[in-house]
């Protein structure tokens, strides 16, 4: 996210002008914008003009509107943020109080105004402007006849392609068609690989599967790259790594992120910190029943819990994060659109790692 201008008081009012530069930035903006905020942006609106014939003609006019937010929707696949509310900026084409939906797309600047820039909002803003927070992984998760291609950023996991094929059995009468069908399947996966993976953006591409499918596809990839002189693959083959998983479905992304060779590449990113914390929590889960805040070393919480329209509910979680940080702990806000955030959401969206084992928590006074 490009931050053009900041003009706010911590825990007070102010505005920030920003420009989303990648899909993750739109997701972070979605988490920043809350009901009651205002958003100023250039938009297009259909207006009616009096025609010479006496009738009315519809015309699309570009204008600047500021709306008071009533609802926000994030379209992950289309990379667009839709913000609905009432106009508060006087304009010859749009009355004050009229409803309008602003569409915020990549590279389109907007100004966000808040009455209170609280701890969470400032933390999200810091993440948005931190280029080192991105994981930038591409993952081809496959098994025979099925492949998914994912792009994993710092906040969003996007499914870019799904490839399916019917592969005959490797023995019996159908064996003659096995190699031909498998090569055609690999060609389709290779086409998706070239279309969606940009090595100027991603740190590495992971090919993951159960069995030997990843090795077979990797060989196919390199042979075709040499035969067709596919420079992006030839020049970046050292950045293509192989990982074992139990399936070719999305839930196996957790195994990819747990792999040591992947963690070594993303070790300095926000995504890696979250994956490590979540793994540690799962390892301790069987022993943890409930936790007093003062014993929390690391708080894990999904961003969904902060999007409540009820200000008191949002403030409750903001205060929880603040109390953990004030006591020397760490608070990690997981994106619910990221694979690690999806896993945490299955556990109510909030969890904690304690400073030390507490086997008799029920006996401790809060």
């Amino acid at each position: 996210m490009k931050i053009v201008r900041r003009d706010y008081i911590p825990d007070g009012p102010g505005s920030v002008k920003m420009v989303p530069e990648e899909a993750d930035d739109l997701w972070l903006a979605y988490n920043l914008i809350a009901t009651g905020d205002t958003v100023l942006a250039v938009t297009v609106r259909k207006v009616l003009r009096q025609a010479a014939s006496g009738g009315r003609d519809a015309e699309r006019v570009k204008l600047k509107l500021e709306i008071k937010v009533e609802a926000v929707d994030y379209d992950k696949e289309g990379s667009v943020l839709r913000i609905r509310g009432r106009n508060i900026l006087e304009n010859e084409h749009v009355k004050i109080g009229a409803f309008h939906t602003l569409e915020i797309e990549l590279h389109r600047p907007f100004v966000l105004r808040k009455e209170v820039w609280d701890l969470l909002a400032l933390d999200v803003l810091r993440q948005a402007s931190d280029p080192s927070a991105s994981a930038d992984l591409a993952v081809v998760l496959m098994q025979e006849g099925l492949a998914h291609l994912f792009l994993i950023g710092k906040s969003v996991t996007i499914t870019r392609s799904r490839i399916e094929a019917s592969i005959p059995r490797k023995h019996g009468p159908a064996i003659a068609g096995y190699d031909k069908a498998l090569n055609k399947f690999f060609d389709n996966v290779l086409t998706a690989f070239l279309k969606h993976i940009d090595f100027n953006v991603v740190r590495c591409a992971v090919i993951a599967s159960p069995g030997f499918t990843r090795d077979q596809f990797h060989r196919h990839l390199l042979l075709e790259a040499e035969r067709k002189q596919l420079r992006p693959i030839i020049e970046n083959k050292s950045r293509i790594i192989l990982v074992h998983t139990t399936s070719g479905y999305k839930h196996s992304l957790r195994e990819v992120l747990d792999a040591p060779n992947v963690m070594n590449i993303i070790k300095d990113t926000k995504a890696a910190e979250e994956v490590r914390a979540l793994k540690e929590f799962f390892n301790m889960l069987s022993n943890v029943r409930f936790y007093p805040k003062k014993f929390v070393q690391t708080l894990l919480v999904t961003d969904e819990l902060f999007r409540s329209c009820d200000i008191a509910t949002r403030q409750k979680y903001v205060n929880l994060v603040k109390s953990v940080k004030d006591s020397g702990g760490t608070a990690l806000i997981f994106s619910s659109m990221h694979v690690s955030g999806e896993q945490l959401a299955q556990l109510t969206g909030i969890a904690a790692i304690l400073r030390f084992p507490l086997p008799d928590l029920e006996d401790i006074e809060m």
Side-chain angles (χ1 to χ4, degrees):
M1 182 83 78
K2 181 180 179 182
I3 306 299
V4 179
R5 185 185 69 247
R6 305 171 193 249
D7 182 18
Y8 58 78
I9 301 168
D11 289 321
S15 65
V16 175
K17 183 176 182 179
M18 58 191 89
V19 183
E21 298 181 316
E22 54 188 51
D24 277 328
D25 295 340
L26 288 172
W27 175 251
L28 288 166
Y30 173 63
N31 282 288
L32 268 176
I33 299 169
T35 301
D37 293 345
T38 69
V39 176
L40 172 70
V42 173
T43 187
V44 174
R45 180 155 173 137
K46 187 183 290 185
V47 299
L48 296 176
R49 293 186 183 275
Q50 194 74 32
S53 60
R56 287 189 164 190
D57 291 334
E59 180 183 356
R60 293 177 67 82
V61 177
K62 184 180 287 189
L63 41 82
K64 186 179 288 187
L65 292 182
E66 184 170 11
I67 66 169
K68 189 161 188 176
V69 179
E70 294 190 8
V72 188
D73 176 59
Y74 173 61
D75 179 357
K76 178 173 70 169
E77 301 304 326
S79 290
V80 62
L81 201 60
R82 296 185 180 90
I83 307 165
R84 179 172 168 78
R86 293 181 183 271
N87 179 44
I88 63 169
L89 186 65
E90 190 171 352
N91 189 286
E92 64 174 306
H93 300 296
V94 183
K95 295 179 180 178
I96 289 180
F99 275 106
H100 184 78
T101 299
L102 290 176
E103 291 198 347
I104 305 298
E105 300 173 326
L106 295 178
H107 311 296
R108 180 171 292 182
F110 67 96
V111 177
L112 172 63
R113 302 184 200 279
K114 287 179 172 288
E115 288 300 315
V116 179
W117 283 87
D118 60 30
L119 176 72
L120 177 67
L122 294 176
D123 196 44
V124 173
L125 189 64
R126 179 190 58 77
Q127 291 175 28
S129 58
D130 179 8
S132 68
S134 180
D136 297 328
L137 288 178
V139 179
V140 179
L141 198 53
M142 61 195 313
Q143 58 192 50
E144 275 197 6
L146 175 68
H148 293 89
L149 195 154
F150 301 98
L151 295 180
I152 304 178
K154 58 192 171 190
S155 304
V156 180
T157 299
I158 301 174
T159 305
R160 277 294 181 222
S161 186
R162 177 186 170 99
I163 303 100
E164 292 184 89
S166 177
I167 309 293
R169 299 177 68 180
K170 199 173 181 178
H171 51 273
I175 192 170
Y178 173 82
D179 288 338
K180 182 178 179 180
L182 189 64
N183 282 332
K184 185 177 180 181
F185 169 62
F186 285 163
D187 281 339
N188 290 336
V189 179
L190 173 58
T191 299
F193 189 101
L194 291 169
K195 180 180 179 181
H196 296 294
I197 298 178
D198 181 356
F199 281 101
N200 292 319
V201 176
V202 302
R203 294 191 178 200
C204 74
V206 179
I207 303 172
S209 78
F212 299 103
T213 307
R214 63 187 178 280
D215 303 282
Q216 291 172 296
F217 175 65
H218 187 235
R219 284 195 296 271
H220 182 89
L221 184 80
L222 296 183
L223 286 172
E224 288 298 293
E226 289 294 338
R227 187 173 73 85
K228 298 179 180 179
Q229 285 299 291
L230 304 174
R231 303 311 304 176
I233 295 175
I234 294 171
E235 293 170 1
N236 295 284
K237 60 185 178 182
S238 63
R239 295 164 64 188
I240 301 172
I241 60 179
L242 308 183
V243 172
H244 171 78
T245 57
T246 54
S247 82
Y249 291 91
K250 187 177 181 180
H251 64 81
S252 289
L253 282 176
R254 177 182 169 187
E255 299 169 63
V256 172
L257 294 176
D258 279 346
N261 50 350
V262 175
M263 286 297 289
N264 284 339
I265 292 171
I266 66 169
K267 61 186 177 183
D268 58 342
T269 67
K270 174 179 178 286
E273 183 182 19
E274 291 175 356
V275 169
R276 282 192 297 268
L278 194 59
K279 185 176 181 180
E280 185 180 353
F281 174 76
F282 278 121
N283 290 338
M284 300 170 63
L285 186 59
S286 60
N287 298 319
V288 176
R289 285 163 287 183
F290 78 93
Y291 50 90
K293 288 180 285 187
K294 62 184 178 180
F295 296 128
V296 173
Q297 173 182 295
T298 306
L299 178 70
L300 295 70
V301 58
T302 64
D303 50 27
E304 280 190 336
L305 298 179
F306 297 94
R307 286 201 295 272
S308 173
C309 293
D310 180 43
I311 295 175
T313 300
R314 175 185 168 91
Q315 193 60 47
K316 178 179 74 173
Y317 289 112
V318 170
N319 290 340
L320 178 60
V321 169
K322 187 175 186 300
S323 67
V324 169
K325 289 185 174 182
D326 287 348
S327 64
T330 300
L332 300 177
I333 313 299
F334 284 63
S335 166
S336 54
M337 297 288 277
H338 195 275
V339 59
S340 57
E342 290 174 1
Q343 294 168 39
L344 181 58
Q346 294 170 7
L347 299 169
T348 75
I350 187 166
I353 298 170
L354 305 186
R355 298 181 188 276
F356 41 77
L358 294 172
D360 298 311
L361 282 173
E362 290 88 344
D363 300 327
I364 299 174
E365 292 186 6
M366 295 292 285

